[in-house]
């Protein structure tokens, strides 16, 4: 106890997150959440190449990569963390609570990610690498948390890596199959699609392939790459699920671009965009959406939905987002004077019935 | 954004010695994760001057506890750790958020062979429940299922009432657990929480700042405490789940108002239940009433579907602006169980892996019913009986 005779040097008070978390209980919603990017893609498409590229890149960000065997019953997952610029990779185990899901609103995966964030004194981003056959839908549903939970993690975007050389084969091989190809799901749910290995095909083939990808999902941004060398701003901090971050959706209002696609593969997975110039009634549009998303009344399977809505008696532009059954409509900002107020809804899904959707939206007029 | 809030946060910390705004903190307290309030100092000089008295907080936090409970520990009572999967003789280290700490728990209670048991009773792991379609599909119960639910829920109510009758200062929560355990078995039921994901006891007892999932232990209830008892009974293959928060002796006015408001939150939420109502509306109702009284709604725990499974779809948050999926339909059974806090809504979990406590150590209350949606509205399956003890002053009028 001799060293207790003299006080040590006191240190600067700082809101170090992992430390403050335990002690300060202020109510303010100042939690800076760490973005989670989900990376999907067929085996061999280049997911690992992308992950290694990000981990070793000179971006100064501290990034954790979680190799997710989601759906396979194991209690722990491996996390690789780069300790800063050019630093060594550190491996950690993330414990997935074999947990009582009972009456908790957060899935054990979310709890595990939160614990990872708390353990690290600083973490800038989390990459969740899924297995090749993963359907991103359950992951997206689990990670798209209510803002009210003020979680330390936040779904940032879904990135799908496709193999430019093999994608067409992968899309076509199931054309006649009744089972649903993961390749379509992975493209349909993506916010960003990395068309990897474009050096192995011609310029024309690349253009054609991009068209095919957009025929499934015309909202996603497609990036061509060789060995997954991409600008990281396309993958990190996209805020694709953030309704307050509407710049992406506002591009919907640039009316000229047609987002509706025709189904090139007879699988019925495509993008459909419908619009309605008259303001609509909020209650009616909720009921209509719930019939489609919850009751499956029209027998359509909507994977993703994004929209800008012009609501009756409101000067606020409203934003709609949906992932499978989960949806929210929130006011985003005031319409400006110059803007022509309109409703524009983009559906990505299976067996979308354009006429029924158009009629349904029209019926949402007051 | 972060910078701003950091600044305002730090500005509230005052020097533990002279109460000037503090800019420095004791590094040893940081290592020990001790509260910042007692560890903040304006200058190195003030820190130095305070050192001889300040350093005692480090020793206190390291002191091996258990003195007061050493008798119990020698009799086989131990502290629960690892979510119920392990025990220890030493009080786990934790920056307890309020006056309460973990106490040792008794050994496992016996369930007679003739009682029909759910699949977690033996090895602690539910197998049917997590893999069931009913985690996604909202089940409409058959008339036969509904009849069984009524029976089970009535038993659960009788069991909770038995617990309510023994609550008074000096009684341990372990004793409440014994009453619940025996009353359940006497009626041919299995206490659903027992060994559910290794939960070590037959009910949850949540005292004062414990929000929910408190493990019954050796602590004696004290005059002025509030205690929630959460009972679930498994009988004839289905579950009935309810809880109430009781007063121990004479409680202060603030606790009385907290418990009363929580009771009203549940009442108001039940009042809107009928076919066609969105599950997400429940959170709006609960939040509105709690906020009006200056109280906050716990967000990490929610109501749930119930029936042949203890917990299943739907998920019913009690906070506002949630994205809960689905509308109510006749024949569905689920719980509503708002947890309302006197201070912050934020929760933390004790080292036992179960007890959720308020992050600021202020009190929390909860009420719960199992409900059936009917063609015209709702049937409260766990409703109070004429024989239920009239423990709430607002019901006497």
């Amino acid at each position: 106890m001799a060293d207790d005779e003299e006080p040590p040097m006191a240190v600067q008070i700082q809101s170090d997150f992992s430390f403050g978390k335990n002690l300060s209980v202020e109510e303010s919603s100042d939690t800076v959440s760490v973005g989670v990017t989900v990376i999907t893609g067929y085996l061999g498409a280049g997911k690992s190449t992308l992950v290694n590229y990000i981990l070793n890149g000179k971006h100064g960000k501290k990034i954790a990569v979680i190799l997710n065997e989601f759906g396979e019953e194991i209690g722990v997952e491996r996390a690789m963390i780069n300790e800063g610029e050019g630093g060594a990779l550190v491996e950690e185990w993330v414990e997935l609570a074999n947990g009582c899901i009972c009456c908790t609103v957060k899935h054990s995966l979310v709890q595990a990610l939160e614990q990872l964030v708390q353990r690290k004194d600083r973490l800038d981003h989390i990459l969740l690498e899924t297995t090749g056959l993963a359907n991103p839908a359950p992951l997206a549903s689990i990670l798209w948390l209510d803002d009210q939970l003020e979680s330390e993690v936040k779904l940032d975007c879904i990135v799908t890596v496709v193999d430019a050389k093999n994608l067409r084969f992968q899309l076509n091989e199931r054309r006649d199959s009744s089972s649903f190809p993961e390749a379509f799901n992975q493209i349909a749910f993506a916010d960003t699609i990395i068309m990897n290995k474009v050096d192995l095909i011609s310029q024309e083939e690349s253009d054609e392939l991009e068209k095919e990808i957009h025929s499934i999902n015309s909202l996603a941004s497609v990036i061509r790459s060789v060995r997954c060398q991409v600008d990281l701003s396309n993958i990190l901090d996209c805020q694709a699920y953030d309704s307050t971050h509407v710049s992406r959706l506002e591009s919907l209002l640039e009316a000229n671009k047609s987002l509706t696609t025709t189904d090139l593969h007879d699988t019925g997975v495509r993008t459909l965009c419908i619009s309605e110039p008259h303001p609509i009634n909020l209650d009616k549009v909720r009921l209509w959406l719930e019939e489609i998303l919850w009751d499956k009344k029209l027998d359509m399977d909507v994977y993703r939905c994004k929209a800008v809505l012009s609501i009756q008696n409101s000067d606020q532009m409203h934003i709609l987002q949906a992932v499978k059954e989960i949806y929210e409509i929130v006011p985003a900002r005031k319409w400006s004077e110059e803007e022509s107020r309109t409703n524009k809804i983009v559906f990505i899904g299976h067996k979308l019935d354009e006429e029924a959707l158009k009629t349904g939206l029209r019926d949402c007029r007051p | 954004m972060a910078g701003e809030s950091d600044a305002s946060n730090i500005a509230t910390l005052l020097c533990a010695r002279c109460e000037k705004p503090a800019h420095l903190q004791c590094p040893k307290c940081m290592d020990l994760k001790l509260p910042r309030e007692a560890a903040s100092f304006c200058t190195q000089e003030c820190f130095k001057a305070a050192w001889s008295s300040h350093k005692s907080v480090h020793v206190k936090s390291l002191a091996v506890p258990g003195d007061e409970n050493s008798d119990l520990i020698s009799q086989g009572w131990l502290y629960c750790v690892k979510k119920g999967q392990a025990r220890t003789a030493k009080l786990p280290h934790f920056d307890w958020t309020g006056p309460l700490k973990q106490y040792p728990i008794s050994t496992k209670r016996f369930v007679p062979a003739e009682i029909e048991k759910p699949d977690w009773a033996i090895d602690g792991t539910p197998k049917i429940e997590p893999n069931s379609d009913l985690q996604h599909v909202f089940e409409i119960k058959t008339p036969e299922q509904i009849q069984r639910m009524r029976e089970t829920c009535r038993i659960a109510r009788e069991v909770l009432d038995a617990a309510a009758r023994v609550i008074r200062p000096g009684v341990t929560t372990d004793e409440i657990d014994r009453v619940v355990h025996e009353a359940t078995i006497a009626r041919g039921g299995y206490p659903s929480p027992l060994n559910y994901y290794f939960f070590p006891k037959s009910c949850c007892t949540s005292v004062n700042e414990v929000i929910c999932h408190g493990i019954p232990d050796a602590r004696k209830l004290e005059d002025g405490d509030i205690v929630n008892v959460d009972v679930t009974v498994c009988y004839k293959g289905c579950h009935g789940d309810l809880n109430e928060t009781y007063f121990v002796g004479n409680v202060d006015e603030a606790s009385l108002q907290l418990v009363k408001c929580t009771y009203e939150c549940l009442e108001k939420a039940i009042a809107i239940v009928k076919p066609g109502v969105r599950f997400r509306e429940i959170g709006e109702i609960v939040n509105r009433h709690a906020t009006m009284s200056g109280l906050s709604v716990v967000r990490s725990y929610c109501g749930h579907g119930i029936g042949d499974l203890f917990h299943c779809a739907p998920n019913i948050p009690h906070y506002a602006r949630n994205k809960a999926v689905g509308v109510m339909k006749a024949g569905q059974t689920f719980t509503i169980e708002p947890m309302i806090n006197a201070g912050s809504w934020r929760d933390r979990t004790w080292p036992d892996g179960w007890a959720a406590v308020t992050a600021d150590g202020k009190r929390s209350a909860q009420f719960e019913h199992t409900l059936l949606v009917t063609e015209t509205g709702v049937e409260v399956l766990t409703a109070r009986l004429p024989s239920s003890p009239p423990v709430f002053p607002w019901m006497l009028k």
Side-chain angles (χ1 to χ4, degrees):
Chain A
M1 284 288 146
D3 56 347
D4 267 8
E5 295 311 312
E6 277 298 309
M9 287 304 289
V11 295
Q12 200 72 36
I13 295 178
Q14 39 182 264
S15 282
D16 173 323
F17 197 70
S18 60
F19 179 59
K21 155 85 181 161
N22 290 340
L23 306 169
S24 64
V25 289
E26 77 287 353
E27 200 64 43
S28 64
S29 56
D30 62 343
T31 19
V32 182
S33 40
V34 176
V36 180
T37 295
V38 175
I39 300 178
T40 73
Y42 254 43
L43 201 63
K47 286 194 305 270
S48 309
T49 314
L50 176 64
V51 166
N52 286 329
Y53 173 71
I54 297 171
L55 279 180
N56 298 315
K58 295 225 180 298
H59 42 62
K61 287 183 195 290
K62 189 162 168 184
I63 294 173
V65 177
I66 300 194
L67 307 166
N68 184 251
E69 307 293 331
F70 188 66
E72 295 171 30
E73 293 198 34
I74 51 164
V76 286
E77 323 234 345
R78 218 152 50 97
M80 306 288 291
I81 299 168
N82 69 336
E83 294 291 349
E85 190 94 33
L89 292 184
V90 181
E91 188 168 337
E92 282 211 27
W93 297 100
V94 183
E95 194 182 352
L96 262 194
N98 179 15
C100 170
I101 42 164
C102 82
C103 42
T104 66
V105 287
K106 290 177 192 164
H107 190 275
S108 57
L109 176 66
V110 175
Q111 294 180 9
L113 296 180
E114 286 180 339
Q115 278 166 21
L116 183 70
V117 171
Q118 285 164 21
R119 269 209 315 265
K120 296 277 124 188
D121 55 348
R122 187 196 120 217
L123 201 57
D124 295 310
H125 210 86
I126 296 173
L127 303 177
L128 204 63
E129 183 185 344
T130 65
T131 62
L133 294 180
N135 174 0
L139 266 183
S141 304
I142 285 166
L143 293 170
W144 189 30
L145 298 165
D146 288 334
D147 290 342
Q148 296 286 304
L149 294 175
E150 293 178 21
S151 173
E152 290 140 295
V153 296
K154 183 170 200 171
L155 178 57
D156 186 50
C157 64
I158 296 177
V159 175
T160 296
V161 186
V162 298
D163 178 337
K165 180 97 175 133
N166 285 315
L167 180 66
R168 180 164 290 166
F169 170 72
Q170 285 157 357
L171 292 178
N172 287 338
E173 71 178 325
R174 310 291 183 92
R175 182 187 290 218
D176 303 316
S177 158
S178 56
S179 73
F180 225 53
E182 294 77 12
F184 283 95
N185 271 326
Q186 291 176 350
I187 291 172
F189 273 97
D191 301 291
T192 301
I193 294 164
I194 299 177
M195 220 167 91
N196 194 28
K197 310 186 191 178
V198 286
D199 51 330
L200 302 181
I201 59 175
S202 69
Q203 179 73 38
E204 295 72 44
E205 283 174 310
S206 289
D207 295 345
E208 196 56 34
L209 200 56
E210 184 164 337
K211 219 181 281 173
E212 278 197 51
I213 290 170
H214 269 148
S215 79
I216 298 166
N217 179 348
S218 58
L219 277 185
S221 44
V222 175
I223 305 163
R224 300 179 191 195
S225 84
V226 177
R227 285 188 297 282
C228 286
Q229 313 268 310
V230 294
D231 180 350
L232 293 185
S233 65
N234 292 306
I235 296 169
L236 312 178
D237 303 319
C238 297
Q239 305 180 0
Y241 288 79
D242 191 343
S243 289
T244 56
H245 187 88
V246 289
S247 59
R248 273 186 178 222
L249 291 176
E250 289 185 38
S251 65
L252 284 180
L253 294 171
E254 293 158 18
N256 306 330
K257 197 170 124 199
S258 168
L259 291 159
T260 298
T261 62
T262 48
D263 175 18
L264 291 178
H265 294 276
D266 306 323
T267 55
V269 183
R270 62 162 175 151
T271 305
L272 184 63
C273 181
I274 57 175
S275 54
E276 166 61 49
H278 292 92
I280 55 174
N281 178 286
L282 186 56
D283 287 329
K284 284 187 182 177
V285 76
R286 283 185 186 281
L287 288 170
W288 172 63
L289 282 166
E290 287 163 9
E291 281 185 358
I292 298 167
L293 301 175
W294 295 354
D295 303 336
K296 310 262 186 285
K297 267 211 176 130
L298 299 166
D299 202 29
M300 291 182 282
D301 192 1
V302 176
Y303 302 163
R304 288 290 297 273
C305 178
K306 291 188 178 195
V308 171
L309 301 178
S310 163
I311 300 293
Q312 173 201 15
N313 301 331
S314 168
D315 59 356
Q316 297 276 320
M317 170 196 283
H318 283 60
I319 299 292
L320 157 69
Q321 283 223 72
V323 175
K324 298 289 278 184
E325 288 88 7
I326 306 173
Y327 85 91
E328 70 173 4
I329 299 176
V330 291
R333 63 160 174 82
K334 264 194 172 158
W335 290 99
S336 67
E337 294 294 328
E338 313 85 71
E339 277 172 317
S340 61
R341 301 184 183 190
T342 184
N343 296 281
K344 210 156 185 190
I345 310 187
V346 180
F347 293 94
I348 301 169
H350 182 219
K351 293 193 281 185
L352 302 178
D353 180 340
E354 184 162 8
E355 279 316 304
L357 288 172
K358 276 183 172 165
T359 314
L361 179 57
R362 205 177 311 126
D363 291 344
C364 293
R365 291 187 201 168
Chain B
M1 192 175 89
E4 274 175 35
S5 49
D6 286 355
S8 63
N9 183 18
I10 290 166
T12 61
L13 285 169
L14 299 175
C15 175
R17 180 166 173 267
C18 70
E19 299 199 328
K20 284 190 193 133
H23 302 289
L24 300 174
Q25 59 187 325
C26 168
K28 189 131 195 188
C29 283
M30 268 179 87
D31 290 344
L32 295 170
K33 293 199 182 338
L34 295 176
R36 267 206 288 211
E37 284 63 33
S40 302
F41 297 92
C42 56
T43 57
Q44 180 69 22
E45 286 66 46
C46 237
F47 180 48
K48 195 171 177 182
W51 178 250
S52 59
S53 60
H54 169 77
K55 64 185 180 187
S56 68
V57 305
H58 307 146
V59 183
K60 270 184 205 154
S61 81
L62 290 173
V64 176
D67 297 10
E68 56 176 325
N69 295 314
S70 56
D71 284 356
L72 285 167
I73 286 165
S74 64
Q75 292 162 39
W77 293 57
L78 293 167
Y79 297 98
C80 175
V81 287
K82 297 204 167 170
K83 297 173 185 162
Q85 294 179 71
R87 305 282 187 274
T88 169
K90 186 172 173 279
L91 178 69
H93 178 75
F94 189 67
D95 53 327
W96 309 97
T97 67
L100 280 182
K101 287 196 219 17
Q102 277 185 230
Y103 273 69
I105 66 172
S106 61
T107 52
K108 195 176 173 184
R109 291 185 207 286
F110 172 73
V111 181
E114 64 270 21
I115 299 283
E116 195 189 328
K117 300 175 185 70
D119 67 356
W120 57 81
I122 303 300
D123 66 358
T125 304
K127 288 151 283 274
I128 298 167
E129 184 171 293
N131 299 310
S132 167
D133 282 350
L134 299 181
Q135 297 305 339
H136 317 285
V137 178
F138 302 177
E139 187 181 30
I140 305 294
K141 264 73 175 178
T142 64
E144 183 269 336
Q145 277 177 304
I146 289 170
Q147 201 43 49
R148 275 193 291 133
M149 287 288 289
R150 283 199 185 98
E151 267 183 83
T152 303
C153 286
R154 189 195 156 98
I155 290 175
R157 162 52 72 181
E158 290 170 0
V159 170
L160 181 67
D161 287 349
R165 288 189 190 97
V166 301
I167 285 170
R168 62 179 175 276
V171 169
T172 64
T173 47
D174 182 75
E175 173 64 11
I176 297 171
D177 178 68
R178 187 188 63 77
V179 169
V180 166
H181 185 84
E182 289 174 4
T184 305
I185 284 168
R187 287 162 178 79
Y190 178 89
S192 310
L194 184 59
N195 217 21
Y196 182 74
Y197 290 102
F198 304 97
F199 189 83
K201 292 288 154 192
S202 300
C203 65
C204 300
T205 52
S206 304
V207 178
N208 298 345
E209 69 262 33
V210 182
I211 296 168
C212 64
H213 298 172
I215 300 173
D217 60 26
R219 181 182 178 275
K220 291 187 172 82
L221 293 175
E222 293 172 11
D223 186 60
D225 282 349
I226 58 172
V227 57
N228 178 279
V229 182
D230 191 340
V231 164
T232 308
V233 168
C234 179
Y235 178 73
K236 292 193 180 172
C238 69
H239 300 266
D241 189 356
L242 80 163
N243 71 52
E244 288 182 341
T245 301
Y246 302 110
F247 303 113
V248 181
N250 298 302
V251 304
D252 60 29
E253 182 61 23
S255 298
L256 191 93
Q257 288 308 320
L258 170 68
V259 174
K260 181 163 183 270
C261 177
T262 309
Y263 184 92
E264 291 161 354
C265 282
L266 176 57
E267 268 195 331
K268 285 176 186 294
I270 292 172
I272 68 159
V273 173
K274 65 175 184 190
V277 174
R278 297 177 185 93
F279 289 111
R280 59 177 68 172
E281 293 300 322
I282 298 290
E284 302 293 335
I285 300 289
V286 171
N287 182 66
R288 191 176 310 143
H289 191 62
T291 312
M292 262 172 32
S293 308
L295 304 169
S296 67
V297 180
V298 172
R299 302 184 192 169
S300 300
Y301 298 88
C302 52
H304 53 89
I306 185 167
D308 294 353
L309 302 179
F310 188 176
H311 298 102
C312 55
N315 238 2
I316 306 172
H318 304 107
Y319 53 87
R321 295 186 295 286
N322 66 76
K323 298 196 287 281
V325 170
V327 295
M328 299 171 194
K329 296 194 172 79
Q332 288 169 340
T333 52
F334 54 84
T335 72
I336 302 179
E337 46 183 305
M339 286 142 271
I340 307 297
N341 294 354
S344 161
W345 61 268
R346 290 173 193 275
D347 61 278
R348 297 195 43 212
T349 306
W350 272 1
D352 62 23
W354 279 103
V357 293
T358 57
D360 58 7
K362 294 188 180 162
R363 291 187 171 193
S364 178
Q366 182 181 24
F367 283 89
E368 172 184 27
H369 276 302
T370 297
L371 308 166
L372 165 72
V373 184
T374 64
E375 296 295 340
T376 53
V378 60
E379 180 180 332
V380 181
L381 299 176
T382 46
R384 296 179 74 86
L385 303 167
S387 61
S388 297
V391 291
F392 301 113
W394 55 86
M395 292 174 68
L396 297 174
K397 289 163 198 164

